[in-house]
Amino acid sequence: MELDPTSSDTVMCGPHALLPAPIPRKYFYQLADVQIYINELLYLISKDYDFIRETLKSASVYDDFTGRLLNILETTLKEDIADAGVLALLRSDYFLDGSIDEMLPKMVEINTIASGAGAIQSNLTPVHKYTTQLLGGRCDVEKSLPANNNIEQYSKAFVKAWEIYNTPKAAIIFVVSRTERNVFDQRLIEFGIKKFNWDIPIKRVTLMDIGSKGKLSDDRRLIVDGTEVAIVYYRDGYIPSHFKSETEWNAVFMAARSRAICCPNVSLHLAGTKKVQQVIAKPGMVERFISNPDKVKAIRATFTGQYSLDIGAEGDEAIAMAITSPENFVMKPNKEGGGNNIYGVDIRTKLLEIQKTSERNAYILMDRILPVTVPGYKVVSSTELPKLQNMVSEFGMFGALVSDGNDVVLNEFAGHLVRTKPKILYTKDVTLPAFTRNTLEASNYSAPPRLNK
Ligand code: ADP
Ligand code: MG
């Protein structure tokens, strides 16, 4: 009988690396510490509405998605509405930039919405301990494979935020897609919350459910299908295609106008955009939000160059640089969810196409990181045995922050995620011939494929 791979009767092995990805111990713990400062930084940015408004003004002209979120933020500010508290669940992603002899962790991006996959990956640590031992690993696996406490840390933050909302019958709702693929990751967090407190009601809903069955009470409580909502946890709603109609937008708008704690709230969602991250990487910008010089130094050490492409002299300079040597950069639209970035000669093509229009304001440019490669095996559901190949790993460090509306009551590192992929997608040997019109067509360099969040 043919098996239907999408049927719930069929069990497939989730793709994973057979062996753990190495990272120098000092970097792992350094990034775990820095995450606490990054939590604080993003929280402070999210409270600086003028900064968010000013930073995203030009990008939002072309980028309707960002524009809509800004409009929702404006409305809530005009109506002087505040959530009962703040729940920030973040993930900062890094590559080890350089070679095995000389490398530094460099940040790829910070995620402020739907920062997931840590719960399901925490199950991989025991698998990696086992495979390392089976293969005769000479390291002390207990010491060398740190426990991944993402489920416990996320759950603790949820419980704290739920207590701040302070209504025993109010639920945490997980906002998921109708065809959700990350259900096992999400369920582990749900069970983790229940372990802390069995009485917290938890429901899984779609944006459509909230938009069609939700309402606001006179005192701005969000009621969905008869249940009051304490926390709206978005695992959906971060890319335009999640919004098929105005009903989904109404859901986000209603949640933002309620006193429910949205994870993230609209301003924290906007604080996680590529444009804000590019502006924050400018000299002096972290300092605007954080005064402790040691924290500033630790955060800045993880940054790599980022450049505005906005109309004006600074943007023109960045465009000239990228057209001359596109292999050194990544061009990013102000979007989430993987698969949007432009690489190599495509940067040149795109910039030549849009350099005279304000569409360029909806992109940023970033120094291309060339990650360290390590041989390894990728295990996928297949009849073929995995092959040894060069792999690169992106290290994600989770953070959790909770505020009661006035003070930060929890700010912690919250586990890790490692995504290991074949190096072929990040080859260092992407050298482009000198620029001529013909070389644009002749290049066969193609961008990395879409990666799941
Ligand atoms: P998204 O929100 O789509 O996840 P990212 O900034 O994480 O956006 O980019 C997607 C992927 O592109 C990353 O996972 C990484 O593999 C690659 N990438 C992003 N920025 C860089 C960079 N500066 N250098 C090299 N690769 C990058
Ligand atoms: Mg990413």
Side-chain angles (χ1 to χ4, degrees), residues 322 324-330 342-348 368-371 373 392 422-434 439 442-448:
T324 312
S325 46
E327 69 279 15
N328 293 338
F329 301 99
V330 176
I342 305 176
Y343 299 85
V345 77
D346 295 343
I347 296 181
R348 190 182 274 159
R368 184 163 181 161
I369 306 167
L370 296 169
T373 62
V392 298
K423 181 213 172 179
I424 199 155
L425 306 174
Y426 296 92
T427 177
K428 207 171 180 164
D429 320 317
V430 184
T431 42
L432 295 167
T439 54
S443 166
N444 60 1
Y445 173 70
S446 59

Side-chain angles (χ1 to χ4, degrees), residues 407-428:
D407 299 314
V408 171
V409 294
L410 179 150
N411 179 9
E412 292 177 0
F413 169 60
H416 62 277
L417 170 80
V418 187
R419 284 170 298 169
T420 302
K421 306 151 211 154
K423 181 213 172 179
I424 199 155
L425 306 174
Y426 296 92
T427 177
K428 207 171 180 164

Side-chain angles (χ1 to χ4, degrees), residues 3-10 12:
L3 289 178
D4 172 3
T6 60
S7 154
S8 58
D9 297 336
T10 311
M12 285 170 72

Side-chain angles (χ1 to χ4, degrees), residues 195-215:
K195 251 193 194 169
F196 273 96
N197 183 345
W198 183 255
D199 296 325
I200 299 179
I202 303 178
K203 285 191 167 187
R204 294 170 64 81
V205 301
T206 59
L207 284 173
M208 189 48 110
D209 290 330
I210 304 175
S212 57
K213 297 184 222 159
K215 59 176 201 261

Side-chain angles (χ1 to χ4, degrees), residues 152-171:
E152 295 74 17
Q153 290 295 88
Y154 262 28
S155 303
K156 188 166 84 177
F158 269 109
V159 173
K160 208 149 202 100
W162 182 80
E163 286 168 357
I164 286 167
Y165 189 85
N166 198 19
T167 304
K169 284 213 170 81

